[in-house]
Structure formats: C-alpha cells, structure tokens
Amino acid sequence: MDLIPAPSSAVRRPDGDFPLDATTTLTAPPGLADAERWLRGTLSAATGLPLGPGRPGAGLELVLDGTLAAEAYRITVRPGHALLAAGGPAGALWAAQTLRRLLGPDAYRRSPLRREGWVLPGADIADAPRFGWRGALLDVARHFLPKSDVLRFVDLLAAHKLNVLHLHLTDDQGWRVEIKRYPRLTGRGAWRERSMVGYRSGQRRDDRPHGGYYTQDDLREIVAYAAARGVAVVPEIDLPGHTQAAVAAYPELGNTDVVDTAALGVWTDWGVSPHVLNASEETLRFFEGVLEEVLELFPSEFIHLGGDECPKEQWKDSPAAQARIHELGLANEDELQSHLIRHFDRWLAERGRRLIGWDEILEGGLAPGAAVSSWRGFGGGVAAAEAGHDVVMCPEQHVYLDHRQADGPDEPVPVGFVRTLEDVYRFEPVPAQLDAAAARRVIGTQANLWSEFADSARDVDYRAFPRLVAFAEVAWSELPAEPAERDYPDFERRLRGHLEVLDALGVEYRPMDGPRPWQRRPGVAGRPIEGPPPVR
C-alpha cells in the first residue's frame, strides 16, 4: 500500500474491499466531531455520496481507543465496515486523512468526477507519529499571502500529517498582524515602497508597493480552521532584531540617540537590517501590549519571539544602551539581548505559555524554560538539548525550502544551498551524538520556507513541493536513523503516485525532472550559479 507518509504497518486484505454507495453511513462519538465533520464534508464533496449518520459496526465508523496514544490510530477495512480507532481527536483526523488517501487521487477533488466505483481497499493499518512537532514555517512578512492562500497551505499540511504551522508574521520588511492598541504597526509597518529583485545588494527594485496584513478576525479564522484539521498555529513576533517595520511605525522603539529613526521606512532590502529595538522599559511595555493581543488570538502553547540575527552596532554606539547595560549589571551587548529574551520568557511563563526562539537565544545565556529552533546547523540544538531544553530541529543546510532544488541554470532565483528531494528525505533530525535523555529533548522538526523569492502561492508551491512531502515522511515515519539506509528509491516510487494527489489538489509543484516552463529562469546552459551568504 503506497501511503505517504509511510505508516507503522499496513497490510492489504484483498478479500476485505468495501464498496461505497449512497447508503454508506458515517458514525462517530461526540469527542471526534471535528474528524467526523471534516471527513463527511471532504468525502461527500469529492464522491457525491451523502454519508449520512448510521449505527456502530457498519459503514465508516470513528471510535476512541484509550489504549492508543493521542495521535495514533488503527484502520480496519472489511466488506461493509471501515473502523477508524484513534487515541484522541488528533489521531482521528490523521486516520481520516489516511482513509481519504485509500480512495485515490479523485478523493481530493472538490466536486465529484464520478458517482460510483468508489472502493475502500481491504486493509489493516496501524500508525503513530515519530515526533510531536511536525512543522512548516510560512514567511508572510517578506511577501504577504492572502488569507485564502494561508488556509490552503493549512490543508496541504494536514493532508501530509504535519501539525504545526509556524507563521512568521513580522520582520524588517513588513508587519502582518493587527494590533488594535498600536494601529500604526499595520497602518505604516505593513507596507513598503518596493522590493528587491533577486538577492544582490544594490540590485534593481521592482518599484511596486507591497504589503497587507491579517485582521484579528482573519487570524482567529486561520487558527480555528487549522485546529479543526489538527494543525496548531504558532505565531512569530520577531525581536529585538528584524524589527525595522515596527521602528518605522513607532520611531521611539529604535535607538534614537544614534540614528534618526523618524526618517526610517519599512525596509526594501533582503537580509538583516541594522535597525533594532532599544532596550528601554518603555519598549518592553510596548511589546507586552503587542503580546497581550497575540496571546488572545493564538492559543498555542509556544509563542515564537525570534531572537535571531540581532546586529549589536547600534547598541555599542548608543549611550542609552550602554547605560542600560551598566544599570542591569550586564557584561556586554549579548547579555543585553539575553536580558530582553529572559524578560519575555518570564512574562509568557506567567501566562501559561512557553517561549521558543531561534538558536541565537543561546548567546548570553539561554532563557530558563525556553525552547530552541535550531537553524544554524545542529550545534545550537545539541547544546540546548544537552542543557535540558526542548528543541525543534530545522537546520538551514537541510530543510530550508526556499533554497534551490537543483544546480541547473534554469532554477528560478537560485538562492542558497542546493537541496534536492533526496537530500530532504535523508535528513535525520536527531544528532547521533546525543545520549538517550538529550535525544528525547528533540520534540520535533520543521521545514522553513522564507519568502524573499516567493511572492505568490504559485512560488510557494514550487519551492515547497514535492520536498515537503519527503519532509513529512521524515517527521512522521520511523525511518532508519542512518540516512544512507533509507530506501529512497521506494519513496520516489510512491511519490510518483502521490503526485496525482498534488495534481488533484491543484499544487503547482516542481516536477521531478525540472521546472515547468513558466517556472524556468532564462539563462545559458552551463552558466555557474552563485547563491548569497546564508541568512535566516
């Protein structure tokens, strides 16, 4: 059975096929209402079958099984009955996704191509995820994506049993979340005059204003839509660096004693802006106000506060920052950044939430209770895990999906490392040097898609897929820990069938033999390709 991600076990039972028709029913207990609602709505739309309520022991039946872990499930398909047993609501949603896949690519259509001939293959399937955090980062700060595109991306995550959407909402190039008490964050900070084309400093701009933001009701809708599909939305509000859009909106947040922040606009370059927050008590109060509204919108356990790529030059030159360092008894600017992170770590903990940040939060001392997104390779994650902190592994060398997929001259905007489909499939999130206790601190893994070079859903599709399919199997399935032992040819064989699912979903993925015609970059065969220095 060619399922992706590969289940723990799957046995085909040829004598157990279950034809579906207009009399087929769907039954579930109240505790699995989300899975029942999603399955009925999705399959009824694709098949044209009503799937009305029925009785236990017949039709499609969802049940709770207390012997299973929360995200685990079992599927048993026999003539007239498909039993989906799950340890909890999340497991029921993953079982429902697998059932849909058993019906074939046409089950992913939004309207029926046929109204008969639907057959569930007889099967015994048992499954559970390897990691609890199976994430994908979507950067909507560099290029804004309309809400409908974000909802579509949630559906694509859920279809591949990925359960965390890390939504990168703020950066130097734009602020995308409405904060009612600070309206200029979106009134001014959500719009830039133009954007860089490509990545080289001084390269031309497109001279098109770019921007947009999500209202608070938009974000409530995204969060609820994702939750009903088993996906948690983790917001990122970057600080103290990557904040030029905020400083452009509220100049008093910047280092006003060394730069005229009133003249700043939202940044039109890619990379890392030198304009960072000051470290005053007033700035802390400002971002506490921001986060109070963020917490009301996002019920996730973790709140991502960035903490990465914070240039220290303005702090070194600022008498106010140096006075602050002296007042707090800190040794240097690294400890000043750590002070800011520790402040918000405590602030979030007092409200029952947990801070997570990029691995730079290790510099100057790791905030107690904080978790780490390890992006600069594995080193930060190893150090954090060995110190007893939870880690999400997302090293840029392996799972940055904005990086190019091949070294040919026709790859669009050939940025970063070459990371092929096979490279992603052979990524192992848990470093071999960790002992058993530290390895348990690796709570999951995440693929990151930064959007400097992805200004539409079409570009997101091209960069994410099919590599995100390979990543989903790495995050879910129990693959050999040694990458060389993984059966990539078998995955590639299964993927070729899975591409029909992506076709039905309307995903404009990169074909396995190279870019589509509209995706190709004009160039000369054999022309060397040079990427920029890696940046987050």
Side-chain angles (χ1 to χ4, degrees), residues 79-120:
H81 187 211
L83 181 66
L84 287 69
L93 286 163
W94 308 138
Q97 291 283 359
T98 298
L99 190 80
R100 183 192 197 186
R101 183 66 186 90
L102 292 174
L103 287 170
D106 284 351
Y108 291 80
R109 303 283 180 179
R110 297 188 184 186
S111 190
L113 302 184
R114 52 192 170 91
R115 294 184 179 274
E116 57 185 26
W118 295 98
V119 178
L120 276 172

Side-chain angles (χ1 to χ4, degrees), residues 11 28 43 45 116 126 130 153 197 215 239 347 470 486 506:
V11 179
L43 293 191
E116 57 185 26
R130 178 186 180 190
F153 194 71
V197 176
T215 68
L239 60 87
W347 190 91
R486 294 183 182 172

